[in-house]
């Protein structure tokens, strides 16, 4: 398969969102994916391994892996620990049945 034959991820997701079950699961995972992206970016910018970040956070490496994959939705306690250790600031919005997150610079 050539690179030019590949379908962009956004197009695949848009197509899959036509399925109500997929759409619900995808939408429920937005918060966890946002945290995952922020955590991966933080770790990559500092050249840390997952184990090093786990040591900083006081958790086991598989916990960091689950957070970074978006598989695990972090608790408020876990977010608080992340901010204390990393200096990151998260702003949460809970409205209309959804939780959204934004990272402050």
């Amino acid at each position: 398969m050539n690179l030019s034959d590949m379908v962009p991820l956004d197009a695949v997701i848009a197509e899959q969102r036509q399925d109500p079950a997929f759409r619900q699961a995808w939408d429920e995972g937005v918060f966890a994916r946002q945290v995952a992206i922020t955590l991966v970016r933080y770790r990559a910018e500092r050249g840390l391994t997952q184990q090093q970040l786990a040591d900083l956070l006081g958790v086991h490496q598989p916990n960091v892996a689950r957070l970074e994959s978006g598989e695990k939705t972090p608790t408020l306690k876990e977010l608080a620990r992340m901010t204390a250790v990393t200096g990151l600031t998260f702003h949460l919005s809970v409205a209309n049945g959804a939780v959204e997150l934004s990272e402050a610079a």
Side-chain angles (χ1 to χ4, degrees), residues 30-40 67 74 79 82 90 101:
V30 169
F31 175 70
R33 287 192 306 276
Q34 289 173 321
V35 171
I37 291 165
T38 301
L39 204 53
V40 169
L67 287 168
L79 286 175
M82 281 183 229
F90 296 110
L101 174 127

Side-chain angles (χ1 to χ4, degrees), residues 9-45:
L9 179 60
D10 291 344
V12 173
I13 293 168
E15 180 179 329
Q16 292 296 316
R17 284 181 55 81
Q18 301 304 311
D19 173 22
F22 177 88
R23 183 174 50 252
Q24 180 179 355
W26 182 261
D27 291 349
E28 288 174 358
V30 169
F31 175 70
R33 287 192 306 276
Q34 289 173 321
V35 171
I37 291 165
T38 301
L39 204 53
V40 169
R41 183 183 319 120
Y42 174 87
R43 187 171 63 78
E45 287 173 351

Side-chain angles (χ1 to χ4, degrees), residues 17-94:
R17 284 181 55 81
Q18 301 304 311
D19 173 22
F22 177 88
R23 183 174 50 252
Q24 180 179 355
W26 182 261
D27 291 349
E28 288 174 358
V30 169
F31 175 70
R33 287 192 306 276
Q34 289 173 321
V35 171
I37 291 165
T38 301
L39 204 53
V40 169
R41 183 183 319 120
Y42 174 87
R43 187 171 63 78
E45 287 173 351
R46 286 154 184 81
L48 298 173
T49 64
Q50 285 185 343
Q51 184 61 58
Q52 290 169 322
L53 181 58
D55 292 343
L56 288 172
L57 295 173
V59 300
H60 297 288
Q61 178 274 328
N63 192 33
V64 170
R66 283 189 296 276
L67 287 168
E68 287 188 352
S69 71
E71 172 186 326
K72 180 182 186 312
T73 300
T75 64
L76 291 176
K77 184 176 181 177
E78 288 170 321
L79 286 175
R81 178 178 293 219
M82 281 183 229
T83 64
V85 172
T86 64
L88 292 169
T89 301
F90 296 110
H91 295 275
L92 300 173
S93 172
V94 182

